[in-house]
Amino acid sequence: MIFIDACKRKETPYTPIWLMRQAGRYLSEYKEVRAKVGDFLDLCRNVEFASKVTLQPIDILDCDAAILFSDILVVPLEMGLGLDFVKNEGPKFRQCIRNENDMKILQNEAYKKLSYVYDTISLTRSKLSKDKALIGFCGAPWTLATYMIEGQGSKTYTHSKKMLYSNPNLLHKILQSLSDELKLYLESQIKAGVNAVMIFDSWAGALERDAYFAFGFKYINDIAKYIKSKYPQIPIIVFPKGVGGFLGAFKNIETNFDVFGIDWGIDLEYAKNILGQNFVLQGNLEPCRIYDFDAMECGVDNIIKIMGKQSGHIFNLGHGMLPDLPRENAIKLIQMVREKSKR
Ligand code: 1CP
């Protein structure tokens, strides 16, 4: 698998590529399947359909890896919080965690209730061609905690940050209980057949450097250490979005993962100079370039010029696909990267 080789910095015939949120509403095929089940969470729970939409981008775009179709929020859902995806508003939890007493809501062994995820993985792996990787994933404890504390998405993270400063012990308890689940959740995904795992820390950039290392990165590193010690052959990708302001701080600490996801807000040359020796880098085309073919090609040329054609790079977007991006350009993007990065 070219994607797995690249995660391990082995030589590959070209730079492998996949796209964050490659399954989604920009594909009419996705919308068709989604319409049949109705609710987004029903799609995540429907093994046959979730597997189908996981495979769609492989058939349509021909990317080098498929990513499990699910959502980071199924973990807090199964921890007992109750979740609805409200149309045009995004995810909303029925209960949230704001004090010690709220902690009583949280149930242990949520990972055992996520068998629909593991079944989707086994089915998908059995259908996926042998040269394509299947990526499993989870949300990072900090990002998941913000949803559990706010009860929904947020621009300011007021409640989460208030807790961080005024009751850090409670926040650590929430983060620890998430980490305990996530270790076993990723482990179960590996047992079900994923070839790599990715940890999404979408709201890393909400914290200042020291707070991020104490409350965010520490827990990611713990999870990565657990997985690495048991499954050293499985590459781990970490995507801490919004940390460009303190990228240098990741250089001199002990880490247990292979690939660092670079968001589109970070200058890739700068990232390469700082982290390129320590990690394989994944990223970071600005997704909106896909609206325009020339802008997309210019972005691709620039990235390939910086990363060269040697090992050490996985091509991706710097954040997820948007629902109205043109699929024709997404298809061309995959072909373009493959041709332009040919060794
Ligand atoms: O069909 C729909 O309209 C639902 C849109 C959608 C999709 C396609 C949601 C709701 N989740 C997903 C799938 C999803 N989410 C995947 C599948 C695999 C793929 O990439 O193709 C993955 C990996 C995620 C991860 C995820 N969910 C993240 C981390 C990555 C990122 O984008 O930063 C986050 C933050 C979520 C929460 C979430 N789920 C859905 C929405 C609208 C949101 C974000 C809400 C917010 O902005 O707060």
Side-chain angles (χ1 to χ4, degrees):
M1 288 178 208
I2 286 178
F3 172 81
I4 298 298
D5 286 347
C7 290
K8 297 180 177 173
R9 217 188 268 277
K10 291 186 187 158
E11 280 182 28
T12 53
Y14 56 85
T15 303
I17 172 168
W18 68 281
L19 309 177
M20 286 192 270
R21 289 275 174 105
Q22 62 190 14
R25 279 178 291 166
Y26 77 104
L27 294 176
S28 53
E29 293 87 342
Y30 169 83
K31 285 196 276 191
E32 266 168 43
V33 178
R34 166 88 205 265
K36 276 190 210 156
V37 285
D39 187 43
F40 172 72
L41 280 175
D42 291 334
L43 177 53
C44 296
R45 291 192 192 103
N46 185 315
V47 172
E48 188 197 332
F49 286 1
S51 172
K52 205 172 179 160
V53 295
T54 303
L55 293 167
Q56 282 173 348
I58 297 289
D59 297 336
I60 300 165
L61 309 179
D62 191 29
C63 11
D64 294 292
I67 181 160
L68 159 75
F69 188 85
S70 184
D71 197 83
I72 61 168
L73 300 179
V74 296
V75 172
L77 162 71
E78 301 299 358
M79 286 170 90
L81 291 191
L83 174 64
D84 299 293
F85 278 83
V86 184
K87 210 171 177 215
N88 302 324
E89 281 185 65
K92 285 217 157 75
F93 284 102
R94 293 180 195 164
Q95 288 172 289
C96 50
I97 310 289
R98 299 258 170 97
N99 54 47
E100 296 278 349
N101 200 39
D102 294 336
M103 289 292 284
K104 291 184 194 142
I105 303 165
L106 296 183
Q107 296 161 19
N108 292 327
E109 303 198 319
Y111 77 99
K112 288 191 177 166
K113 296 180 203 147
L114 287 152
S115 57
Y116 51 92
V117 171
Y118 317 134
D119 293 344
T120 302
I121 291 169
S122 329
L123 180 63
T124 308
R125 194 52 273 181
S126 74
K127 291 185 171 173
L128 190 60
S129 110
K130 286 200 170 58
D131 56 332
K132 307 282 188 189
L134 179 60
I135 305 170
F137 70 89
C138 69
W142 160 250
T143 287
L144 293 179
T146 65
Y147 284 100
M148 293 163 74
I149 297 165
E150 309 293 331
Q152 58 189 44
S154 170
K155 286 203 167 77
T156 52
Y157 310 94
T158 319
H159 298 288
S160 315
K161 290 167 81 165
K162 191 193 272 179
M163 188 186 291
L164 187 151
Y165 293 113
S166 60
N167 194 352
N169 289 338
L170 178 58
L171 181 56
H172 277 304
K173 268 192 211 166
I174 298 171
L175 294 166
Q176 190 59 55
S177 64
L178 278 164
S179 297
D180 294 344
E181 289 293 344
L182 295 169
K183 285 174 192 167
L184 301 171
Y185 181 48
L186 288 183
E187 178 167 23
S188 307
Q189 292 188 30
I190 292 167
K191 286 183 182 159
V194 298
N195 309 105
V197 293
M198 175 151 167
I199 303 174
F200 287 91
D201 208 357
S202 304
W203 314 135
L207 296 176
E208 58 187 45
R209 187 189 67 182
D210 291 354
Y212 184 60
F213 281 97
F215 293 89
F217 199 70
K218 172 193 183 295
Y219 292 93
I220 292 181
N221 230 2
D222 280 357
I223 295 169
K225 191 171 188 174
Y226 175 83
I227 296 295
K228 255 302 159 226
S229 68
K230 294 188 88 170
Y231 306 93
Q233 79 286 8
I234 298 287
I236 304 173
I237 309 162
V238 174
F239 179 58
K241 187 170 184 300
V243 298
F246 51 85
L247 215 54
F250 292 93
K251 194 180 160 71
N252 298 318
I253 47 171
E254 198 193 319
T255 53
N256 302 285
F257 59 96
D258 310 86
V259 183
F260 200 108
I262 306 294
D263 71 71
W264 61 267
I266 302 177
D267 177 60
L268 192 58
E269 193 163 23
Y270 170 76
K272 185 191 172 190
N273 290 338
I274 294 183
L275 298 179
Q277 301 286 321
N278 302 52
F279 304 100
V280 168
L281 304 185
Q282 176 175 276
N284 75 343
L285 188 76
E286 137 74 307
C288 292
R289 283 187 180 268
I290 297 175
Y291 284 118
D292 181 87
F293 183 87
D294 293 339
M296 181 174 89
E297 182 162 39
C298 172
V300 168
D301 286 340
N302 190 38
I303 289 175
I304 292 179
K305 193 174 109 212
I306 293 166
M307 295 311 298
K309 296 185 184 179
Q310 318 92 304
S311 47
H313 182 220
I314 294 162
F315 207 105
N316 205 318
L317 305 180
H319 203 188
M321 281 295 282
L322 300 167
D324 63 344
L325 287 172
R327 67 184 273 150
E328 319 79 64
N329 283 354
I331 294 169
K332 286 180 195 151
L333 172 64
I334 310 293
Q335 296 164 349
M336 189 189 278
V337 168
R338 210 159 277 162
E339 273 161 34
K340 288 181 188 264
S341 68
K342 216 184 227 156
R343 317 299 195 226

